[in-house]
Amino acid sequence: MRGYRRPDGSIGIRNHVMVLSTCGCANMVARRIADAVPGAVAVENSKGCGQVGSGIEIMRRCLANLALNPNVFGTLIVGLGCESTKPYELAEAVRSRSDKPLEVMTFQDCGGSAAAIEHGVELARGLTERAAGAERCEMGLADLVLGTNCGGSDATSGLAANPVAGVVSDAVVAAGGTVMLGETTELIGTEDLLAARAATPDVADDIYRIVCGLERSFAEAGVDVRGANPSPGNMAGGLSTLEEKALGGISKGGTSPIMEVVPYGARPGRRGLVIMDTPGYDIESVSGMTAGGAQVLIFTTGRGTPIGNPLIPVIKVTGNVECAARMADNIDFDASGAVEGASTIDELGSSLLELLERVCDGEQPAAERFGFNDFSIFHNQEVWCTCLP
Amino acid sequence: MDKRALRMAASDDVATVIDAVSAGEKVCVRTKSGEVACMLTAREDIPRFHKICLIERDAGDTVTKYGQIIGRVTSPVGRGSYVHIHNIESIKTGVGA
């Protein structure tokens, strides 16, 4: 595999110039800039203002870390000017941690949309010209941060797609790379089992903290996650207990010890299998892993889903033979042989690993081919208009 | 032809049938690498993707799948029996049905 070497020593599998919108109000300007410059990709923001406390803290962390993602050659930060993410401070935060090319501008400083787009196009062109000369280098699985996620799961997920993805996760970890397991909602019920796999007592404590913390917030909202799981549909599909359902989900992360638990959008400090505290909403979960530095992601599904990401290739895997046939244009890997009897989980795992390596080398999975660039940063808290009684 | 089942880890007490099984039918249990782990006879009908017991379990015993504990047995289960919410329950929630 060949990648792009970055100043911090990380290796990208894509060479994007990111046009990063710091809040929703700047999205259209960022989009027009990226559309006008081949090689530039817009990352639009669903929030970025009207946020306080941990909400704005998460947003700032994620925006800065996106610029550090190895798939990003350089970044043009496009702000509105008065938003809580503070574009110029964000640029300083990135510069203090990275020598990657970086430009920053705001709509309000430029004096309107036309002037902002014109100025942004000029800056983005400068970045793409430099990106064309990015240094290529050999890379291996040890250089990878592989994200994992599941969505639209069904009875085949825990039998085929997730265990097959787990074979790949184990191979990446064995080679010295990093694998991210997320979706804390899906971990409820497995905390004892995960804690038993924790590399240190501190990691075990962190697992209990994120799982029990989430369950507490569900309880405060009047939702009983444990009692409601597995659902009647899950039970009809053969799942008997919450543990069984959750274990089928986490099998996509493989069997390695858990080295670290990181907050949403944070960059792991350890190699091996790590847990990122992400929500169950797929687009926010995948976006958080992108901020955390994943260069590529394996996404398992039973019922099918089209989602992609602007910065990282998302590889779709299903164990459902009907899904693989009906949504062939969205599915990259058919793991149904594991339940239809045509092949084994280990064989399919080896084939999926080969696909992962081809994708790292430039092959585009379906979502990337379609240009699907779904993106949303989890926004924990919101501030409503203070003029309401 | 024998019906097929999949065992996810060597220490598992249960396998998942990938064909619907009728009582009295022979079931061939394979591992993730495709090797035959064991052959057994189903004692009950078992729907597709539901579990068959590989090792006799007593009430109170744990049940292992994916190499990890998925619950506890609530009434004795023999080899070849159907394992589901009628005879196992979650240890975390105490809920089986």
Side-chain angles (χ1 to χ4, degrees), chain A residues 155 158-159 163 189 191-193 226 235-244 247-248 339-341 344-346, chain B residues 4 6 8 16 18 32-34 48-51 65-66 68-70 83-85 88-93 96:
Chain A
L159 286 171
E191 59 272 23
D192 296 338
L193 305 168
R226 286 179 197 259
M235 289 183 188
L239 297 176
S240 305
T241 65
L242 174 62
E243 294 94 315
E244 184 185 11
L247 279 168
V339 289
E340 301 301 322
T344 69
I345 288 171
D346 286 345
Chain B
R4 300 165 303 174
L6 190 55
M8 305 305 285
T16 306
I18 56 178
K32 290 204 282 187
S33 58
R48 188 177 195 217
F49 299 150
H50 289 232
K51 293 176 290 300
K65 183 182 169 187
Y66 298 109
Q68 298 193 268
I69 294 166
I70 61 162
V83 175
H84 198 27
I85 51 180
I88 72 169
E89 66 177 9
S90 166
I91 291 172
K92 295 300 296 184
T93 65

Side-chain angles (χ1 to χ4, degrees), chain A residues 140-146 169 171-179 270-273:
Chain A
L141 295 176
D143 301 303
L144 270 193
V145 178
L146 169 68
S169 294
V172 170
V173 169
T178 303
V179 173
R270 302 287 306 265
R271 287 166 180 256
L273 179 62

Side-chain angles (χ1 to χ4, degrees), chain A:
Chain A
M1 300 189 283
R2 286 176 67 74
Y4 302 86
R5 188 176 298 285
R6 305 304 177 202
D8 65 357
S10 66
I11 301 177
I13 64 164
R14 297 292 184 267
N15 197 39
H16 296 305
V17 165
M18 172 169 65
V19 182
L20 178 64
S21 169
T22 57
C23 80
C25 315
N27 280 350
M28 291 304 110
V29 171
R31 161 70 46 208
R32 295 289 175 90
I33 293 168
D35 284 351
V37 181
V41 289
V43 172
E44 295 178 28
N45 202 332
S46 56
K47 290 290 287 186
C49 201
Q51 295 183 280
V52 290
S54 59
I56 190 66
E57 190 190 313
I58 290 167
M59 178 58 70
R60 287 187 181 133
R61 171 169 72 228
C62 288
L63 292 177
N65 284 351
L66 283 168
L68 304 184
N69 183 294
N71 288 359
V72 174
F73 167 81
T75 300
L76 167 60
I77 295 173
V78 178
L80 174 69
C82 53
E83 64 271 41
S84 4
T85 44
K86 299 180 182 163
Y88 292 101
E89 281 184 24
L90 174 67
E92 281 319 303
V94 175
R95 283 197 184 105
S96 71
R97 296 168 59 200
S98 166
D99 295 326
K100 284 186 186 182
L102 183 78
E103 304 283 359
V104 56
M105 55 170 277
T106 72
F107 162 89
Q108 288 165 355
D109 281 346
C110 288
S113 301
I117 292 166
E118 190 185 337
H119 182 52
V121 166
E122 196 180 311
L123 292 173
R125 281 209 181 111
L127 288 171
T128 54
E129 278 163 21
R130 292 169 67 187
E135 186 197 342
R136 298 301 302 267
C137 63
E138 290 297 321
M139 67 176 290
L141 295 176
D143 301 303
L144 270 193
V145 178
L146 169 68
T148 64
N149 206 89
C150 55
S153 299
D154 72 2
T156 63
S157 300
L159 286 171
N162 288 335
V164 166
V167 172
V168 175
S169 294
D170 280 343
V172 170
V173 169
T178 303
V179 173
M180 286 177 178
L181 181 67
E183 302 167 280
T184 311
T185 35
E186 316 278 327
L187 306 184
I188 294 173
T190 57
E191 59 272 23
D192 296 338
L193 305 168
L194 287 169
R197 284 169 56 190
T200 67
D202 283 350
V203 174
D205 287 348
D206 285 343
I207 291 167
Y208 283 113
R209 182 177 48 75
I210 64 164
V211 174
C212 300
L214 178 65
E215 195 173 9
R216 234 183 349 263
S217 33
F218 274 124
E220 281 161 13
V223 180
D224 171 16
V225 181
R226 286 179 197 259
N229 263 307
S231 67
N234 293 151
M235 289 183 188
L239 297 176
S240 305
T241 65
L242 174 62
E243 294 94 315
E244 184 185 11
K245 177 181 176 177
L247 279 168
I250 65 172
S251 65
K252 62 185 173 291
T255 56
S256 311
I258 295 152
M259 305 306 292
E260 189 180 19
V261 176
V262 295
Y264 180 81
R267 293 162 64 83
R270 302 287 306 265
R271 287 166 180 256
L273 179 62
V274 300
I275 292 176
M276 179 181 282
D277 188 10
T278 72
Y281 178 45
D282 296 330
I283 294 172
E284 290 180 346
S285 182
V286 172
S287 300
M289 290 184 183
T290 308
Q295 300 112 311
V296 60
L297 186 135
I298 291 180
F299 193 114
T300 58
T301 182
R303 302 174 61 84
T305 160
I307 80 154
N309 182 274
L311 299 178
I312 71 172
V314 176
I315 301 170
K316 296 282 163 39
V317 179
T318 187
N320 181 321
V321 67
E322 285 156 27
C323 172
R326 288 183 57 232
M327 296 177 202
D329 64 346
N330 288 110
I331 300 296
D332 301 296
F333 190 85
D334 178 1
S336 66
V339 289
E340 301 301 322
S343 33
T344 69
I345 288 171
D346 286 345
E347 285 165 3
L348 290 162
S350 301
S351 308
L352 180 58
L353 181 62
E354 285 167 17
L355 173 62
L356 172 71
E357 289 174 339
R358 291 200 306 276
V359 167
C360 290
D361 229 6
E363 183 174 315
Q364 292 188 313
E368 191 176 26
R369 227 164 34 236
F370 276 116
F372 291 167
N373 54 5
D374 308 281
F375 192 83
S376 182
I377 293 171
F378 171 65
H379 42 87
N380 195 31
Q381 291 175 335
E382 299 186 27
V383 184
W384 296 90
C385 177
T386 49
C387 60
L388 291 171

